[in-house]
Amino acid sequence: MAHEVIRHQLPLFDEEGRSSATDDESGRDLHYLPDFPPEDPYAAGHRTCAGCGPAIQYRWVLKAAGEDSVLAGPTGCMYVANSTYLCTPYTVPWAHTPIASGGSFTSGVAAGYEAMIRKGRYPGTYPNIIVMAGDGSASDIGLGSISGALYRNHDALFICYDNECYANTGIQTSPTTPYAGMTTFTPFGKAIPEGKKLPPKNLAKMMAEGHPHCYVATTTVGYPTDLMNKTRKGLNRQGAAFLHCYTPCQKGWVYQTSMTVELGRRVVEAGLFPVWEYDPEQRVYHYFHPPVQRPVTDYLAMQGRFGHMLPEHIASIQRSANQNWADIGMDVPALLRDGEDPEHHRRMAEETYSMPLNRGVGA
Ligand SMILES: Cc1ncc(C[n+]2csc(CCOP(=O)(O)OP(=O)(O)O)c2C)c(N)n1
Ligand code: SF4
Ligand SMILES: [Mg+2]
């Protein structure tokens, strides 16, 4: 006789905030913290860099998922910096997978739990099965295996933590590295003054369009409630779900350590990382419309990896941002339209920085 597979249904957090929430002068809720669960399945004691965006993402995701979780981590910073022989920061089962096979490994774990529960060999509730892969893994080397898992609709949550580079091997370019982002494989020089010439791959849209039966969403470490709710939505839905999370890399991007969460908001407010949710039932996208729209320089100037940019490069990025604003149904203010003209800009090195910068990737 087949046993029933019982699944968790995790409640969502209140997005509106408490009455005591305080807005800054731009209308951003600065001090809203809902009552998050006390447990931390991603415990202290790992060895990621100070201010590491992926580590913040790992903590929020596992807090949202809770103690009945099973985790896989393909090769990358979040494998190497988190684990040594017989030692990890996880209080839940975790396994390392080769960089190419996060998707296939996790498919096997999901299918295994389903079969064991049906056969009465595993007495518990179906656990929250999650793989968190870097952008190099999810958008490049391991893309095929994640796409296969989404296509077959295994009941698991597939997350890309996107630090826009192959960080662990020394900050090399990946498909999600932005145009003009300097990496050790895209240095700027006389021949190629912008550093990286190609625009980034739109991984999340590719996943949503290519697997229209899956829940797909984007988020950043700048919006913890959004990140935790999308984690829970992806886990609550029976079948495969994909989350693309923007996670700054302090070492690779060269910014002040305390600015990780601020960057997670500014990238959205600059129009460079639209935050949305794809509803597979209705087959529609729901776009977040941020209360603040900034020129891209407000975001770029905070990071040493963009310190070499010339006016024409900045104008080119402002054009892409303006296209993103239009795509998500927002008006483009005149100031941002003006920014499409190189005459509107100085060299990035001459910008007034709000903080001192150390230029030079990997410093
Ligand atoms: C097939 C294969 N190619 C290359 C590597 C070397 N490698 C180890 S970690 C890593 C970087 C992974 O980048 P990403 O997935 O973005 O994770 P991050 O290091 O940025 O956290 C690479 C290229 C590998 N382990 N396996
Ligand atoms: S190199 Fe970047 S992603 Fe890796 S641990 Fe440091 S901050 Fe995190
Ligand atoms: Mg990466």
Side-chain angles (χ1 to χ4, degrees), residues 48-49 51-54 77-78 81 163 167 171 248-252:
T48 64
C49 307
C52 173
C77 265
M78 296 308 285
N163 56 12
I171 322 295
C249 167
Q250 197 279 333
K251 181 180 174 209

Side-chain angles (χ1 to χ4, degrees), residues 6 19 26 57 101 141 149 159 165-166 189 227 241-242 250 271 280 302 323 338 349-350 355:
I6 312 278
S19 54
S26 314
Q57 181 209 287
S101 42
I141 303 177
I159 303 182
C165 60
Y166 281 94
L227 168 56
F242 183 80
Q250 197 279 333
M302 291 174 71
Q323 186 61 55
D338 292 347
E350 291 159 11
M355 62 198 74

Side-chain angles (χ1 to χ4, degrees), residues 173-185:
T173 188
S174 88
T176 62
T177 305
Y179 166 77
M182 186 169 117
T183 67
T184 48
F185 279 7

Side-chain angles (χ1 to χ4, degrees), residues 23-24 33-34 41 44-45 50 109-110 145 186 189 198-199 206 210 217 239 249-250 281 286 288 301 310 321 334:
D23 289 352
D24 71 0
L33 278 179
V109 172
S145 85
T186 52
L198 298 172
M206 191 168 88
C249 167
Q250 197 279 333
E281 313 298 341
H286 298 289
F288 169 62
L310 302 176

Side-chain angles (χ1 to χ4, degrees), residues 17 65 73 97 161 171-172 182-183 220 245 266 283 288 298 321 342:
T97 82
Y161 70 87
I171 322 295
Q172 290 89 23
M182 186 169 117
T183 67
T220 87
C245 184
R266 284 204 189 191
R283 297 206 171 185
F288 169 62
D298 277 10

Side-chain angles (χ1 to χ4, degrees), residues 103-119:
S104 42
F105 178 92
T106 309
S107 304
V109 172
Y113 270 100
E114 290 254 14
M116 300 268 281
I117 294 172
R118 282 220 184 88
K119 290 178 181 173

Side-chain angles (χ1 to χ4, degrees), residues 179-261:
Y179 166 77
M182 186 169 117
T183 67
T184 48
F185 279 7
T186 52
F188 71 93
K190 279 193 187 138
I192 308 178
E194 65 267 62
K196 184 173 175 183
K197 287 172 80 79
L198 298 172
K201 185 185 278 189
N202 195 335
L203 175 65
K205 274 278 165 85
M206 191 168 88
M207 292 309 203
E209 293 292 320
H211 314 87
H213 56 283
C214 295
Y215 171 81
V216 179
T218 68
T219 187
T220 87
V221 292
Y223 302 89
T225 315
D226 186 67
L227 168 56
M228 291 178 76
N229 275 342
K230 284 173 175 166
T231 298
R232 288 192 162 184
K233 284 185 191 176
L235 289 169
N236 285 346
R237 188 180 160 76
Q238 187 174 340
F242 183 80
L243 200 55
H244 182 190
C245 184
Y246 166 96
T247 55
C249 167
Q250 197 279 333
K251 181 180 174 209
W253 301 8
V254 192
Y255 59 86
Q256 279 214 334
T257 308
S258 58
M259 289 295 143
T260 304
V261 169

